[in-house]
Amino acid sequence: MLNVTPVSNNLTSPQRRTKKVGIIYNDVKPVACQVTQELKVRLEAYGCQVATATGLGGLLGYANANKPAKFIPIESLVPKDFDDAMDFAIVLGGDGTVLSAFRQVAPAGIPLLAVNTGHMGFLTETYLNQLPHVLEQVLAGNYQVEDRTMVAVQLVRHNQPAWEALCLNEVVLNREPLTSMCHFEVTIGRHAPVDIAADGIIISTPTGSTAYSLSAGGPVITPGVSVLQLIPICPHSLAARGLVFPSAEKVIVSSANPDPLVMVVDGNAGCYVAPGDRVCLREAKYPAKFIRLKDPEFFKVLREKLGWGLPHIAKPTSVELP
């Protein structure tokens, strides 16, 4: 559920109050590494205590098909020195780094200011050239915190948890290496199971409704709606269409395929799903806390990033031939 909380201005200047600030950055991008060092120096000059970490800690990778998945508890991904005493953290990277960073800081309840050093930057709040001014604004407490729903995903094998992760965008189940028909049994809450035959399925949050599920034909869902959506990928039936349901409902997905499937979470974490395994999803108790510099305007982001709702140019009524 979307929850926007204003943060009161309790500073007369950035230098007057010591804060604990974190920086998470994409260490693959030289610009992010350089800005991290410069930002750390600037924050320390303001009297802040600064902790840094790379986004690598949230990239759980993919288990090998011939080896068991490695169980890493959700809470264990919080970086060293990142705790509930931290006022906020800054993430430097693109959308992938933002997704990874929330997997790291959400259990500690740390708000994130997302600074775009990537391409699309759909989840980011500001750009590098605006960072000096934005930094002073945030240190002065002039911002809001917007809560976004996350999903806790768990692979259950022989009635024991074998793998788990937090998800902000979507969970995808499909077969590899080649796309082919899969059969899924999906149970949502107390409702009867449904069978889906498709190349795969996507279970998406409202935040993820503008990502993979949108490309697969799913609707855009505004962040303030407490729902999840189930989108079949290339279904083998005209009756198999997307489904929107309350986020409070627990979801259990079982595979009827003799071969393993691949589960991918937010595009940067995942594992293999063997026959007999169950994938369990439920709304996480840890929301993603986005720092917003002004009131969130979702439709504006849709227009700027995806071109949604732009006015059409009228065609001429007549054409003059040379």
Side-chain angles (χ1 to χ4, degrees), residues 106-131:
I110 301 171
L112 271 184
L113 172 65
V115 181
N116 187 19
T117 64
H119 299 287
M120 172 70 74
F122 198 90
L123 298 176
T124 58
E125 180 67 9
T126 189
Y127 298 90
L128 279 178
N129 62 349
Q130 301 170 346
L131 187 54

Side-chain angles (χ1 to χ4, degrees), residues 174-189:
N174 63 280
R175 185 183 294 177
E176 70 167 20
L178 300 176
T179 300
S180 58
M181 189 63 60
C182 303
H183 293 270
F184 304 93
E185 183 180 272
V186 182
T187 303
I188 299 174

Side-chain angles (χ1 to χ4, degrees), residues 38 124 126 145 236 297 308:
E38 296 172 355
T124 58
T126 189
V145 175
H236 193 57
E297 223 293 11
W308 180 83

Side-chain angles (χ1 to χ4, degrees), residues 191-223:
H191 303 286
V194 295
D195 293 318
I196 297 176
D199 285 0
I201 58 172
I202 303 169
I203 299 174
S204 165
T205 68
T207 300
S209 70
T210 54
Y212 191 6
S213 66
L214 179 65
S215 299
V220 174
I221 300 176
T222 58

Side-chain angles (χ1 to χ4, degrees), residues 22-306:
I23 304 173
I24 297 178
Y25 62 100
N26 185 344
D27 59 344
V28 176
K29 296 183 177 179
V31 63
C33 297
Q34 178 183 345
V35 173
T36 296
Q37 297 305 314
E38 296 172 355
L39 185 57
K40 185 173 185 294
V41 170
R42 180 179 291 238
L43 286 167
E44 289 175 341
Y46 286 157
C48 297
Q49 179 185 350
V50 183
T52 63
T54 70
L56 184 64
L59 302 177
L60 298 179
Y62 308 95
N64 189 295
N66 299 318
K67 296 180 180 179
K70 183 179 180 181
F71 181 76
I72 302 175
I74 286 171
E75 292 78 7
S76 69
L77 296 183
V78 180
K80 182 182 178 181
D81 297 327
F82 283 64
D83 53 37
D84 56 7
M86 183 169 281
D87 293 271
F88 64 90
I90 301 169
V91 55
L92 302 167
D95 288 335
T97 307
V98 174
L99 293 168
S100 172
F102 270 117
R103 195 172 293 123
Q104 294 171 274
V105 304
I110 301 171
L112 271 184
L113 172 65
V115 181
N116 187 19
T117 64
H119 299 287
M120 172 70 74
F122 198 90
L123 298 176
T124 58
E125 180 67 9
T126 189
Y127 298 90
L128 279 178
N129 62 349
Q130 301 170 346
L131 187 54
H133 169 72
V134 167
L135 184 60
E136 293 193 3
Q137 180 178 342
V138 174
L139 285 172
N142 297 327
Y143 63 91
Q144 299 175 343
V145 175
E146 178 191 4
D147 288 353
R148 294 279 189 99
T149 297
M150 298 190 79
V151 172
V153 187
Q154 190 172 79
L155 174 70
V156 178
R157 180 171 293 161
H158 306 305
N159 294 321
Q160 296 293 326
W163 189 90
E164 68 179 15
L166 286 175
C167 165
L168 177 58
N169 263 2
E170 76 278 303
V171 177
V172 181
L173 283 155
N174 63 280
R175 185 183 294 177
E176 70 167 20
L178 300 176
T179 300
S180 58
M181 189 63 60
C182 303
H183 293 270
F184 304 93
E185 183 180 272
V186 182
T187 303
I188 299 174
R190 58 180 175 79
H191 303 286
V194 295
D195 293 318
I196 297 176
D199 285 0
I201 58 172
I202 303 169
I203 299 174
S204 165
T205 68
T207 300
S209 70
T210 54
Y212 191 6
S213 66
L214 179 65
S215 299
V220 174
I221 300 176
T222 58
V225 184
S226 300
V227 297
L228 301 176
Q229 61 176 324
L230 170 66
I231 305 296
I233 303 173
C234 299
H236 193 57
S237 170
L238 292 176
R241 289 295 176 260
L243 176 69
V244 178
F245 56 93
S247 58
E249 300 274 22
K250 181 180 178 180
V251 182
I252 300 176
V253 182
S254 302
S255 169
N257 300 281
D259 302 315
L261 299 178
V262 176
M263 177 169 63
V264 180
V265 177
D266 284 345
N268 56 28
C271 67
Y272 280 83
V273 180
D277 290 349
R278 300 192 313 276
V279 176
C280 301
L281 305 95
R282 65 176 70 236
E283 186 174 354
K285 57 184 177 181
Y286 311 114
K289 294 181 175 293
F290 283 86
I291 286 180
R292 301 303 188 195
L293 304 174
K294 52 188 176 181
D295 290 338
E297 223 293 11
F298 183 66
F299 289 173
K300 180 180 179 182
V301 176
L302 287 182
R303 286 194 298 271
E304 292 178 349
K305 302 294 185 179
L306 298 180

